[in-house]
Amino acid sequence: MGAPVQAGTLAPMTEIAQKDRLEKLEKLRAEGPPPFPSRGVLATPTAELVEKGGTAEAPGPLIGETVTVAGRMRDLRDFGKLIFTWLNDKSGRIQVGLQKNRLAEWWPKRKLFDSGDLVAFTGELGHTQKGELTIWATEVTMQAKALAPPPEKWHGLADVEQRYRRRYVDLWASEGVREVFEARSKTLSLTRRFFEERGFLEVETPTLHPIAGGATARPFVTHHNALDSDLYLRIAPELYLKRLIVGGLERVFEISRNFRNEGLSTRHNPEFTMLELYQAQADYTHMMEHTEELVQHLATELHGTTEVEFRGERYDLRAPFQRKTYAELFREHNGCEIEDEAAVRARATELKISSEVQELGYWRLAGEVFEATVEEHLTGPVFVTDYPLPICPLAKESPENPGYAERFELFLAGMELANAFTELNDPADQMARFEEQVASKDPETPGEVDVDYVQALEYGMPPTGGLGIGIDRLVMILTNQDSIRDVLLFPTLRQKPAE
RNA sequence: GGGCGCAUAGCUCAGUUGGCAGAGCAACUGGCUUUUAACCAGUAGGUCCCAGGUUCGAGCCCUGGUGCGCUCACCA
């Protein structure tokens, strides 16, 4: 005997609106079957049944066999002594036919079962007169009574806020959502295999950093009580991974969540996933090869082709990608040389670039002009190479092109996907660049020098190439999703006020 | 943070010039053994996001707020 549902024990929406389902719950508790049994069943994925069921004209090997499926029941079509419904599971769905003459015991209980309930069915696999593969149920088990009703059946959840806030509904009620996250999972697993096969070791470095380094971004701050010290959520794993290169691990990568206390947009989430990779005896040209080969490999594995569609445009992800220098692109889109300070300053004024940025120094300013004028035109995929050295505090200067760093970023659809360089391994040079950063007025640079990192370099880091790839953005492109929120299961949202 | 837009039944959405709060789906009752967005007949369901204001009268107009989306700024 189940106790009646007490007021205040369920979500307010359910208590107000779902009296019918709550009454059914009472009945299930009093008379059975139990609404929330403890044990699951051994079920066959519906996709396997569809595959081995065949068509009415060409029946498959499982036709006539007794099978069991489990999942969410949706969309009942009641004919009086016959009910059709869909049973949805992770792999797909299959029709179930419920007939009075096969279910004598269950039949009087049928009204206690609703669309949205989690149910297991056992029965004989066959086809209907119209040729639909169907399980003719002889056994029906409630697995969990749904007290909240499913969304409207053919629009699903359309309100994007509801989709993000209640992803646990969106995943089965909106078409294509589960597939995006399956593709995301596959992307991660293929990426791991790709680099493992190239001799890389997957490592885990700290999320809590005493100094927020390795990138320029405002960090989240937290506090450790026992140590009585502030810590920062990592903005990048870079400096730890390079310590491991000093440690002799030679090839390492990490797929980590990074945290940046900055704005949200269709391309930015405060926590996001980054692949970072470091390889001894390599430079940025090797990183370009890894990048284009990985991207091509992922597209081919996921789609069987290197052609993908994103935001209505087609892109060919076949390697090798185009390569263009930063200075060359700057000239193309601004009509002046990046080193022509007077002309570039005039451009910045024209573009209404804020005076605060102007104070951060010439090369930061030129960088702003580049971002404002060039990036949106980079449909790509294209590697932008050879960035001005002053905006690359962790990269090595190009021996052929003094004043510029051996660095590239990969752009696609105007979006930065990857960032890589030949790593700076001269400790004195690194120290000088850190000190310059600390002295700058930029609120996003670290407040103190990471002396321990310089110390690590003093033990000697071999020539090394490093690469970072934004996994969320890569998944956006591979799954044709316009917003980063659509490739994050639970994107960051403003907290809902208490109801 | 700025601009633009949206917020109405569990879900998807209408709502005219300011004049009784609407539809489809879901739910409930009845009918139906081959549907697949089943069908037929009926019933019930509302803090019109919140708080003020204007008005005889506000879902609609005004002010402020909240949430969400897009966009700009920000994000090397």
Side-chain angles (χ1 to χ4, degrees), chain A residues 18-70:
Chain A
Q18 301 310 320
K19 267 177 68 184
D20 301 319
R21 288 188 186 236
L22 293 176
E23 280 165 20
K24 291 177 186 183
L25 176 67
E26 303 282 325
K27 267 200 183 141
L28 288 166
R29 285 198 163 133
E31 300 158 22
F36 300 107
S38 301
R39 306 292 168 230
V41 298
L42 205 59
T44 306
T46 58
E48 191 181 326
L49 296 180
V50 168
E51 192 196 322
K52 295 181 181 164
T55 62
E57 295 76 36
L62 283 181
I63 293 298
E65 297 295 315
T66 295
V67 298
T68 295
V69 291

Side-chain angles (χ1 to χ4, degrees), chain A residues 163-183:
Chain A
R163 291 192 42 226
Y164 299 147
R165 287 200 193 276
R166 299 212 289 233
R167 190 70 95 181
Y168 45 84
V169 175
D170 189 42
L171 280 164
W172 48 264
S174 307
E175 201 161 342
V177 174
R178 194 184 62 229
E179 286 78 1
V180 168
F181 293 101
E182 284 168 353

Side-chain angles (χ1 to χ4, degrees), chain A residues 445-462:
Chain A
T445 53
E448 60 181 301
V449 172
D450 191 336
V451 176
D452 180 75
Y453 175 70
V454 176
Q455 169 105 71
L457 294 184
E458 286 168 2
Y459 281 95
M461 182 167 83

